[in-house]
Structure formats: C-alpha cells, structure tokens
Amino acid sequence: MKKITLLGATGSIGIQTLEVIRQYPQLFSVHAFAFGKNVKKAIPLIREFQPKILVVQDMETKHELQQHYAVRTEILVGAAGMVEVSIDPETDVLVNAVMGSVGLDATIQAIEKKKQIAIANKETLVTAGHLVMALAQQHQVQLLPVDSEHSAIFQCLQGEKQQQVERIILTASGGSFRDTPREALENVTVEDALKHPNWNMGAKITIDSASMMNKGLEVIEAHWLFNIPYDKIDVILHKESIIHSMVEFQDRSIIAQLGNADMRIPIQYALTYPNRMPLQESDPVNFIELGKMHFQEMSFERFPCLEMAYQAGKEGGTMPAVLNAANEQAVALFLQKKISFLAIEKVILEMLNTHQSIQHPDLETIQAVDQETRLKAIQFVTR
Ligand SMILES: NC(=O)C1=CN([C@@H]2O[C@H](COP(=O)(O)OP(=O)(O)OC[C@H]3O[C@@H](n4cnc5c(N)ncnc54)[C@H](OP(=O)(O)O)[C@@H]3O)[C@@H](O)[C@H]2O)C=CC1
Ligand SMILES: CC(=O)[C@@H](O)[C@H](O)COP(=O)(O)O
Ligand SMILES: [Mn+2]
C-alpha cells in the first residue's frame, strides 16, 4: 500500500488523482492533502479520503474548516505546511499538482528525503530545473512525469538509450485560439480563453495553452526531465491531442504515445509505474471515428510566448524563473480581467528584457527573483 501526499487536491489534476486512488484502494491511500481556499470542494474529499493531515493556504481557511465544518483533522498552513506533509515519514509518494512555483520548496525537500515524486507542477521544473534535477540525481530519486507530453516521452523512452535520441517532438493542440487570427486576439475575453478544445483543466494552464506559454513551459520541462538540449526539442501543432508526444531516434524511427485526452492515463501510469493497470470507465481510441490526424508547423510569429520560453530556457540562469513568475502574474491579472489577453505576452517580454540574468542561481536567489518579478509585473501594468 502506497501512502500518498497530494498537493493541489481540489484542482483538475488533484481530483483526477483521487479518482485513480479511489479505483485502487488496495494499492493507494491518501496520507495528506493540500489545497488553497476552496473549502466547498475540499469537504466531500476530506470526508471520503480521510487524510491524516490537511494543508490549506491561510489561517482563515483553517478556521473555516474547523469552525463551520467541524473538521478535527490536523491542519497545517501555507508553503511550510506543504513541505511538512511532503517530507512526513509516512509519505511514500508525493503527487505535486499544486498550481505555480509555490510548489518548489515541497519538491526540493521531498527529493532530499528520497520520496517518490509524481510531478504535474511544471512551474517547479521551469523555475529551478537545474537545482531539482541535480538533487534528484544526487539522491537517486526518479521524477515521474504527470504532464501528458512528458509522460508520453517517458513512455517512449522505456528500454531505450538516451544517447540514441535524435529529438523530442512535443505536440500542441493550439489551445482555445488556434483558429483565431492574431489580429482578432485584441478583443478576446477570459471566457473565450477558458474554452480549451480538447482538455478540461485548471484556469491558469488553460490560459497558458491559449497563449502557447504552456508549450513553452513544457519545452523547458522536457529539457530538464530528459536532459536534452533545446535544439533537439521541436513543437508541432496537432489539433486532435491524440499523439501526446514523440521521440525520434538516430535511425529515424519515431516512437509515439497515443491515447484519448484523459489525464487519468498519465496520472495512473506515474502511480503504478512500471506497471500498467486497467483504467476504469475509459474508451479506447477509435481510429475509425477519428479518421485523420492533422499536423501543422509551429509559428513563433503567431505564438511569441513559445519563442520567449525557448530563449529564456537557452539563456538559463534566472531567466526561466522570470519567464514563469511574469507569466503567473500576468495570467492572474488577465483572469481578474485587469489586463487583456495580448498584454500577457507584453508583460512577460518586458520582465525578460529588463532582467539582468544571474547564472547558477541558488534557491534563495530564485525565490527572490520570483517575488521581485511578480511585483515588477504589477507595477508595469498599473504604471
Ligand atoms: N489540469 C491538467 O490537465 C494539467 C495540469 N498540469 C499542471 O498541474 C498543475 C495543477 O494544474 P491544475 O490541476 O490544472 O490546476 P487547478 O487550478 O485546477 O488546481 C490547482 C490546485 O492547487 C491549489 N493551490 C493553488 N494555489 C495554492 C496555494 N498557494 N497553496 C496551496 N494550494 C494551492 C488549488 O487549491 P484551490 O482549489 O483551493 O484553489 C488546487 O487544488 C499545474 O502546474 C499545471 O500546469 C499539467 C498537465 C495537465
Ligand atoms: C493535458 C496536458 O498535459 C496539458 O498540458 C495539455 O498539453 C494542454 O494542451 P496544449 O497546451 O497542447 O493545448
Ligand atoms: Mn501538457
């Protein structure tokens, strides 16, 4: 029985992780879970999964749980609370599905305690990939990818030799505005941006998908997870989201992983790895119904966020942390309807252009740059 600590339990990945856990009570139990402030969503999950420890974002939420819902479970608060449950001796597996770089400390400290980690929280790898991967190597911890593309690549690489990989091909759906010309992006709304054509995901990643920053973050994530240079990572548009990514080898063979757009597949694979288990209430890919699959060249002119991510990744140092923090802040402002969709990329560009990169940053430096960038981004839009 694996005891799981789940960060981001009330989110899109969190809920689907709990669905997988629910199907296999003989294999998994929930030791602890963390969420932000969404008490209404959390209460039925607390009652069903009965974690031994809870973590919430702030004291107000803790009091709400205790006073309005009579929750008697131990409740910790904030990023420190997430670290505490992640390194708890009773935690066997950490599923990090929290949104944003707030998940970084927990990932780092869990690696130091040699916990098995299923990682959905891509911002962690973008912000501090060099630290996370060096620690993982030092402590012999394997990070099991949950992100669908990275799970696909991980599956394609099973039994293969890293040095025989020619390139990685990440697929991108194109997001909510894939059929919208760039000129028309000026007036798109939050509601439009939240309509992803293939995946039902949290708000932040859905916006990232529409701006193509999601793919940019995934390029950096792939660089770190698979130790592959940026010039060997390609992105192509594939609107069906059936091929989740591919690996080309030196002999020109390409191995791809296919499946319906169902995040339970990579989540379950990360939890049961190296085994595969039946996935409840799922349909096989119906190739006849699908008929065709489409592929289109990616354009940096149409999707400048992707180019910014490649550049920040290649430059390294604190640039990816700036990219990520600027994006997190800009997307939050867009979701609050304080800036337009196209202002997201303007904020990120400005933050990157005005940052003096620091090479080989330690954790403290990264966290300071993250905070500074968020403040600077707010000042930039309110100037
Ligand atoms: N959704 C998907 O299909 C995919 C997601 N990912 C990645 O997985 C991660 C999670 O995404 P997703 O599930 O969509 O996000 P959601 O927004 O749906 O969920 C985020 C979760 O994090 C919690 N949370 C947010 N801020 C804090 C905080 N400060 N402290 C504690 N908990 C917090 C939220 O709590 P609350 O509900 O209370 O706000 C919620 O449980 C992201 O890094 C994303 O990029 C990767 C691939 C696919
Ligand atoms: C499900 C998942 O992994 C998301 O990151 C997904 O990839 C988003 O799709 P696009 O970014 O390709 O639109
Ligand atoms: Mn993805």
Side-chain angles (χ1 to χ4, degrees), residues 31-224:
H31 172 60
F33 76 54
F35 64 98
K37 301 180 187 192
N38 195 339
V39 169
K40 283 218 170 73
K41 222 167 174 185
I43 283 294
L45 303 174
I46 295 169
R47 292 192 178 134
E48 179 182 354
F49 291 94
Q50 303 199 351
K52 299 267 184 323
I53 313 171
L54 291 168
V55 186
V56 295
Q57 197 171 334
D58 53 28
M59 289 303 287
E60 207 183 323
T61 309
K62 175 175 173 169
H63 293 146
E64 193 182 346
L65 282 174
Q66 291 173 328
Q67 284 155 20
H68 293 276
Y69 295 94
V71 171
R72 296 285 161 259
T73 317
E74 180 185 357
I75 306 176
L76 306 175
V77 176
M82 288 200 280
V83 169
E84 200 172 324
V85 289
S86 301
I87 62 173
D88 187 302
E90 286 205 53
T91 296
D92 297 319
V93 182
L94 171 67
V95 179
N96 192 338
V98 77
M99 191 282 285
S101 63
V102 68
L104 180 56
D105 265 345
T107 304
I108 286 193
Q109 297 207 35
I111 294 173
E112 285 169 344
K113 287 280 184 279
K114 294 188 191 296
K115 300 293 183 189
Q116 196 178 326
I117 302 180
I119 186 118
N121 176 232
K122 64 190 82 179
E123 294 89 353
T124 299
L125 286 163
V126 170
T127 303
H130 62 298
L131 299 180
V132 171
M133 296 316 291
L135 276 174
Q137 201 179 14
Q138 182 189 336
H139 295 282
Q140 295 287 293
V141 169
Q142 190 172 30
L143 294 179
L144 295 162
V146 169
D147 205 344
S148 63
E149 296 76 3
H150 305 75
S151 174
I153 295 162
F154 182 68
Q155 293 179 54
C156 296
L157 288 173
Q158 293 302 304
E160 301 294 341
K161 294 194 172 62
Q162 173 81 23
Q163 64 273 25
Q164 292 167 6
V165 171
E166 185 60 33
R167 66 178 172 137
I168 280 175
I169 306 162
L170 290 174
T171 51
S173 75
S176 316
F177 302 132
R178 64 185 183 196
D179 301 319
T180 310
R182 200 167 154 78
E183 314 81 72
L185 292 178
E186 206 63 64
N187 299 315
V188 294
T189 64
V190 170
E191 290 71 23
D192 297 331
L194 285 174
K195 286 181 201 141
H196 195 285
N198 304 340
W199 298 95
N200 187 5
M201 310 184 287
K204 190 263 181 182
I205 186 176
T206 306
I207 305 302
D208 285 348
S209 169
S211 70
M212 207 49 75
M213 182 54 90
N214 184 47
K215 219 45 59 180
L217 300 177
E218 292 184 350
V219 166
I220 301 175
E221 184 184 9
H223 166 77
W224 289 116

